[in-house]
Amino acid sequence: MPTSATTLLRAVRALPLPSAGRPLIVGVDDWALRKGRTYATIVIDLEHHRPLDLLPDRSAAALATWLRHEPQIRLVARDRSTEYARGTTIGAPGARQVADRWHLLLNTRQMLERWLARVHPRLKQVLPTTLAAASVRRTKAYPRAPAEVLMRAAAVERWEALYDDVRRRVAAGQSLRRINRETGLARATVRKYAFAPRFPRHGLRGPGPSILDPYLDQLSARFDQGCENAMQLWRELRDLGYPGTPKQVGRWLNERRTRPAKTTIRRWQRSPAAATTKTPSRPPLPSPKQLSWHLLRDPNELDPAAAAAVARVLQDGEAAKVVGLARWFCRIVRSGCGGRRAGSAAVAAFDTWLAEARSCGIRVVESFAASLDQDRAAVRAGLELPWSSGQAEGQINRLKLLKRSMYGRAKLDLLRHRFLLAA
């Protein structure tokens, strides 16, 4: 029977929604209808594992209005959004609020990442704990073409101008929200630039994979034997199965030559002394985001490169203090909800941690601790009670799949109707 997608969706909209009982324990979380632009709220019945509603936005007013129609609700599990906290307080003042433990761990990593973004230039100057033997592994990318270098320099210059603009606005007393609105920069970028004492340089990661990597041992051995002919090295690698061109081999060799190649233009030739006196650079430090993951993971689970980066960072006194507090709080969160005794111990440990974090003298940590103190009742409930908003995360994944299957017509009211029918 020929028909259109619109007709099918209209038929779906006409179907009656299933009746559900009155929920007592609910979880709320936000989800993106259009990422970065349009957000809504999903409400889940945690006892019966089913979705209850999709709200048109993620504001306190929308949640409070929905909760007023469900006065029997006695517990709301949520992330640490101030909007959801305010909406729950207004709409269900007698309900107990529970901060989701996964979001507590996420907020801890984000706090650590913000601190690392500010001090990353300083941490790069810290020497490794041990001077490992010389390795043939790459520590930086191969040299780029002049056009690529010029394009990158122009991009960095544009971002430096934006950084200077943000810093001027902050010095003039403008709020971060206003700067975000007037410049069009992402809110996270505005916050990073506002608190960074220097422009945060990009390109802090190590090199990506290369088809030359499996053959670096062979190249290093032949170079030690005195072979500095790029074509000869390439022919030998080709016999071993190397699928690339001589260009990559030439790039590798150009950084290590002790004498200029015969085909090098005279004005570009370097003296052998300049090549031999070049000092090796420090090994690269992972980006703040990667480093925040490494610092909070179990040390026994780290690979040698990540473990070396963690040991290098922890030589800094302030870094050791921040990481110690972050790891301590993560242990407290993971130890909670293991029964009444474990929950009580976790709450007592949290109070001790909070007192120490609020007086540690590090601005980022003190700000994070202050936000936890404002939400102390919900955090303590999250450590004591087994409830969380994890079911909401799972339903959001189902919602994303459903949105993709709706022929590009995923308006909120139709998506809500289809989602509740599928539940």
Side-chain angles (χ1 to χ4, degrees), residues 30-40 396 399-400 403:
D30 63 330
W31 62 282
L33 188 63
R34 292 183 63 190
K35 191 167 184 178
R37 306 189 67 174
T38 307
Y39 286 85
I396 287 172
L399 192 58
K400 291 177 181 177
K403 186 177 71 171

Side-chain angles (χ1 to χ4, degrees), residues 162-385:
L162 290 171
Y163 167 78
D164 294 337
D165 184 33
V166 171
R167 295 288 291 182
R168 283 195 298 270
R169 291 172 181 269
V170 171
Q174 293 187 15
S175 66
L176 300 186
R177 188 183 295 274
R178 179 181 173 184
I179 298 173
N180 162 245
R181 185 172 57 252
E182 293 183 356
T183 62
L185 293 172
R187 191 174 300 176
T189 303
V190 172
R191 179 182 293 276
K192 178 173 68 174
Y193 284 177
F195 294 106
R198 290 185 293 177
F199 175 70
R201 295 281 175 181
H202 297 284
L204 303 175
R205 301 179 181 88
S210 168
I211 59 174
L212 196 61
D213 288 346
Y215 306 94
L216 292 180
D217 292 325
Q218 170 69 13
L219 283 174
S220 181
R222 291 290 289 124
F223 180 77
D224 292 340
Q225 294 172 6
C227 180
E228 297 188 14
N229 186 315
M231 289 301 298
Q232 175 63 27
L233 292 173
W234 172 72
R235 284 191 289 267
E236 294 176 5
L237 294 185
R238 183 184 58 182
D239 295 339
L240 296 175
Y242 173 64
T245 65
K247 183 176 181 180
Q248 200 78 328
V249 178
R251 283 177 170 177
W252 179 88
L253 187 60
N254 285 339
E255 296 181 315
R256 295 162 176 80
R257 290 186 184 276
T258 59
R259 57 187 180 276
K262 295 180 180 179
T263 56
T264 304
I265 300 175
R266 184 179 298 276
R267 68 174 180 272
W268 290 352
Q269 292 182 0
R270 296 180 304 168
S271 63
T276 56
T277 57
K278 184 179 178 180
T279 58
S281 59
R282 290 183 174 89
L285 195 64
S287 67
K289 187 170 186 177
Q290 292 174 323
L291 202 51
S292 65
W293 283 106
H294 294 331
L295 290 169
L296 293 181
R297 287 179 62 193
D298 185 348
N300 297 324
E301 299 177 356
L302 297 175
D303 58 61
V310 169
R312 178 180 171 187
V313 167
L314 292 181
Q315 294 180 88
D316 183 87
E318 186 178 347
K321 191 172 185 178
V322 174
V323 173
L325 288 169
R327 287 176 174 176
W328 183 9
F329 183 67
C330 289
R331 288 195 300 270
I332 293 172
V333 174
R334 293 190 177 102
S335 68
C337 72
R340 180 175 300 178
R341 182 175 299 178
S344 300
V347 169
F350 168 67
D351 293 337
T352 304
W353 177 90
L354 193 61
E356 185 163 340
R358 296 211 63 176
S359 60
C360 68
I362 301 169
R363 179 179 177 182
V364 175
V365 181
E366 290 180 347
S367 176
F368 176 60
S371 69
L372 291 177
D373 195 15
Q374 292 175 354
D375 206 16
R376 178 183 291 204
V379 175
R380 290 165 65 100
L383 298 176
E384 288 180 307
L385 302 177

Side-chain angles (χ1 to χ4, degrees), residues 72-83:
Q72 78 286 347
I73 289 178
R74 56 184 177 84
L75 188 144
V76 178
R78 56 169 177 80
D79 61 16
R80 296 191 54 250
S81 166
T82 55
E83 286 292 301

Side-chain angles (χ1 to χ4, degrees), residues 382-398:
L383 298 176
E384 288 180 307
L385 302 177
W387 302 106
S388 72
S389 58
Q391 291 184 44
E393 300 288 346
Q395 295 289 350
I396 287 172
N397 291 331
R398 292 183 58 239

